[in-house]
Amino acid sequence: GVNLDTRLDYRFIDLRSEKNQLMFMVQSSFIKYMREYLYNNNFIEIHTPKLIGAASESGAEVFEVKYFDRKAYLAQSPQFYKQMAMASGLEKIFEVAPCFRAENSNTSRHATEFTSFDVEFSYINSYEDVMNLEAEMLTYALTKLKEEFGEKVKETFGLDIVVPTLPFPVMKLSDVYKELEERYNYKVPESEKTDLTTEAADKRAFYHMRNEEGKLQGYDLIWRGVEITSGAQREHRYEKICENAKSKGLGEDVKFYLEFFKYGCPPHGGFAIGVDRLTMLLLDIPTIKESQFLFRGPNRLNP
Ligand code: ATP
């Protein structure tokens, strides 16, 4: 019954509660079933480095570490290496590993270190292949999870594990903006709109593929109002990816990455799910601080 900070200080005792014990059993099985789906579909699990020589996406959000007589960074995501695996001919891979983000944000869904369930695969025709695989994987895992833990979760958390039906509802970002305006009279400021306007297009990563009209070939998956995944088809054509990097002013830092595409790379795409957010939303836990084994945030590095 004490406040959350005290509970986190004494997490080793806090974890003894029935709810917390069940939460980690459920999380473990959720990951087990997602893995199982991928293994059944000929994916292999890989392990990419978390110590990297250059900041991968935007320099501002990376943790810098001393690396002998120079600097290294903690990986914000395995993005570049997942794609390297595609260029290497591995075709279907996944990784479950930590990501580090030096974001000073104190929300209920952000941590500075979190576990990401990352998937990447080759020979896709569009980002829709990526969406479909993710939807199937989640539906498979939730079905199994409900069989194993449905009753226990109902008893302990008072809620149902809901297995979504396929296909998942899809909405274009332009339609979301339109509906917000029509139904709620809310106009999204131009500067906040991603994808649609040129000045906001900068906000998206340079490695996403765009179609002939310049539209990004990607998606976010929203669960109970919270983003749990972003996924996309990636740009695999060497000339195009070089152009994109250049237009964002990216130089030396991404040179090694651009090289991956120089000798040919199949069309590919993938996605990343935040495991801690997934657990939080599944069990209706108020904050990621409680769904992580040990929360890491701007003001918390201990225990
Ligand atoms: P947000 O907009 O919510 O900050 P993002 O767009 O930065 O997320 P991505 O970089 O696309 O997120 O990462 C993929 C997934 O990883 C997210 O959908 C989310 O589930 C998870 N994730 C991202 N950042 C964090 C974080 N700081 N803490 C916990 N999970 C995160």
Side-chain angles (χ1 to χ4, degrees):
V2 297
N3 72 39
L4 184 57
D5 262 327
T6 308
R7 281 174 47 202
L8 295 182
D9 288 340
Y10 291 89
R11 186 65 162 161
F12 50 96
I13 297 174
D14 185 52
L15 287 182
R16 294 178 191 173
S17 76
E18 202 185 331
K19 272 191 169 179
N20 281 341
Q21 298 278 313
L22 181 60
M23 174 173 72
F24 285 107
M25 286 194 260
V26 167
Q27 184 188 75
S28 171
S29 278
F30 205 165
I31 294 174
K32 177 179 77 180
Y33 294 132
M34 292 199 290
R35 272 204 172 95
E36 193 173 275
Y37 173 87
L38 293 173
Y39 281 127
N40 290 346
N41 285 281
N42 303 320
F43 280 74
I44 59 164
E45 184 163 8
I46 64 166
H47 306 279
T48 67
K50 304 305 154 203
L51 274 174
I52 55 176
S56 53
E57 291 174 32
S58 60
E61 291 168 4
V62 290
F63 288 111
E64 208 176 278
V65 291
K66 193 170 170 302
Y67 193 76
F68 305 107
D69 58 351
R70 57 195 174 116
K71 279 182 204 160
Y73 304 90
L74 296 179
Q76 295 161 295
S77 92
Q79 185 61 35
F80 288 178
Y81 298 117
K82 286 200 298 179
Q83 291 189 258
M84 189 189 105
M86 299 302 102
S88 310
L90 287 178
E91 288 191 29
K92 291 172 155 193
I93 62 99
F94 72 100
E95 175 171 29
V96 190
C99 290
F100 303 89
R101 305 263 169 108
E103 296 169 303
N104 200 352
S105 45
N106 293 289
T107 72
S108 58
R109 56 182 201 284
H110 287 96
T112 49
E113 177 178 352
F114 62 93
T115 303
S116 178
F117 195 106
D118 261 274
V119 176
E120 199 79 19
F121 59 108
S122 284
Y123 301 106
I124 61 168
N125 291 315
S126 87
Y127 70 98
E128 288 176 350
D129 295 342
V130 182
M131 290 204 303
N132 292 341
L133 184 113
E134 181 181 12
E136 268 184 34
M137 180 185 82
L138 286 173
T139 309
Y140 174 91
L142 284 165
T143 305
K144 293 266 181 170
L145 202 62
K146 194 180 172 76
E147 279 165 26
E148 188 181 358
F149 285 111
E151 272 173 40
K152 225 50 253 223
V153 164
K154 180 90 192 168
E155 229 172 77
T156 311
F157 286 88
L159 49 88
D160 288 311
I161 293 179
V162 180
V163 180
T165 45
L166 291 169
F168 287 5
V170 175
M171 232 181 148
K172 285 207 168 77
L173 208 48
S174 54
D175 291 335
V176 174
Y177 298 147
K178 211 157 75 196
E179 293 273 318
L180 280 171
E181 224 177 308
E182 283 173 11
R183 278 205 231 170
Y184 304 103
N185 205 15
Y186 177 75
K187 202 165 170 9
V188 180
E190 288 302 314
S191 60
E192 291 291 313
K193 290 184 180 176
T194 47
D195 195 0
L196 299 172
T197 62
T198 37
E199 70 266 39
D202 270 7
K203 290 189 179 171
R204 281 283 177 161
F206 74 99
Y207 48 77
H208 287 342
M209 186 175 273
R210 289 166 185 281
N211 68 8
E212 301 77 42
E213 298 156 21
K215 287 237 158 69
L216 284 157
Q217 302 297 291
Y219 68 94
D220 282 349
L221 178 64
I222 313 293
W223 195 19
R224 300 187 166 140
V226 179
E227 180 202 313
I228 53 160
T229 300
S230 51
Q233 175 162 11
R234 326 292 187 191
E235 184 50 75
H236 63 282
R237 295 162 295 184
Y238 180 62
E239 283 77 21
K240 285 264 183 213
I241 188 84
C242 289
E243 258 171 48
N244 292 355
K246 205 168 153 196
S247 72
K248 301 245 168 171
L250 297 165
E252 278 304 302
D253 278 357
V254 297
K255 210 168 148 217
F256 78 98
Y257 167 76
L258 299 176
E259 289 275 304
F260 299 160
F261 303 94
K262 204 167 174 176
Y263 304 94
C265 181
H268 63 279
F271 58 88
I273 308 181
V275 167
D276 320 275
R277 273 194 204 174
L278 198 63
T279 311
M280 171 180 96
L281 294 163
L282 176 75
L283 298 177
D284 199 21
I285 289 157
T287 160
I288 198 165
K289 292 180 183 172
E290 291 183 76
S291 67
Q292 283 196 318
F293 181 72
L294 278 173
F295 173 67
R296 285 291 178 261
N299 301 315
R300 186 164 282 275
L301 266 176
N302 284 307

